[in-house]
Amino acid sequence: MGIEYVVSACLAGLECNYEGKCKTSERVARLVKTGKAIPICPEQLGGLPTPRKFIEIVGGSGEDVLDGKARVIARDYFEVTPQFIKGAQESLKLAKLVNAKKAILKSRSPSCGCGKIYDGNFNGGLKEGNGVTAALFLREGIEVETEN
Ligand code: SF4
């Protein structure tokens, strides 16, 4: 059995989140260690620095961002929508290259969140919806599982 999953790199122990930290999941780290998963960080793949400002989707969900109906904004109100779309596309490219049909992605993130994401008010609130990369994966038939 080859690579089955793409996983959020921060869950695998890579220090790629907005604070330059990781959120290691033992299960995800084990999948990478045993060659069943490869880590991706869509925000880094889209060209954003680490650490970076806190970022949320404003005015919709990841699906809306892909459709040009919502924007992705960093805390100081500069727009990072193009980087998020690029990061989602590059992540999808990698998933297709290794033929991974499943993903385990970090909860609540504007890129990786699945089911619930931060609501765009920058106060820790949540809304229904998927992050931009999770939304693109689901559109392309990749199964997405969320992990804290
Ligand atoms: Fe990168 Fe996704 Fe983790 Fe954010 S949640 S640091 S985009 S892998």
Side-chain angles (χ1 to χ4, degrees):
M1 201 75 184
I3 296 166
E4 292 176 59
Y5 298 89
V6 288
V7 296
S8 294
C10 57
L11 292 174
L14 292 156
E15 296 181 342
C16 55
N17 83 358
Y18 75 103
E19 298 174 302
K21 294 181 180 163
C22 58
K23 294 280 181 188
T24 309
S25 148
E26 289 310 320
R27 176 190 168 219
V28 168
R30 202 174 326 113
L31 286 170
V32 174
K33 207 169 183 176
T34 54
K36 294 194 175 78
I38 51 162
I40 49 149
C41 177
E43 291 173 23
Q44 289 185 333
L45 286 168
L48 291 170
T50 306
R52 52 191 168 273
K53 299 283 183 189
F54 199 75
I55 296 169
E56 297 194 4
I57 298 174
V58 175
S61 64
E63 288 79 1
D64 296 321
V65 172
L66 292 172
D67 293 338
K69 295 178 187 158
R71 300 193 305 154
V72 192
I73 303 290
R75 198 194 280 281
D76 287 346
Y77 300 103
F78 58 91
E79 184 167 4
V80 289
T81 308
Q83 291 92 330
F84 267 61
I85 290 174
K86 166 96 173 169
Q89 289 168 340
E90 290 294 286
S91 298
L92 177 65
K93 197 194 288 179
L94 194 51
K96 287 189 167 171
L97 271 174
V98 300
N99 206 23
K101 302 279 194 289
K102 295 187 270 189
I104 306 172
L105 302 181
K106 173 77 182 73
S107 61
R108 301 184 295 276
S109 150
S111 294
C112 294
C114 187
K116 279 199 165 46
I117 52 172
Y118 289 112
D119 66 8
N121 293 316
F122 294 93
N123 59 12
L126 297 173
K127 63 186 171 188
E128 301 286 319
N130 302 314
V132 181
T133 294
L136 186 61
F137 278 9
L138 289 167
R139 267 190 191 176
E140 294 285 327
I142 296 173
E143 215 176 282
V144 178
E145 194 182 323
T146 190
E147 172 89 35
N148 284 317

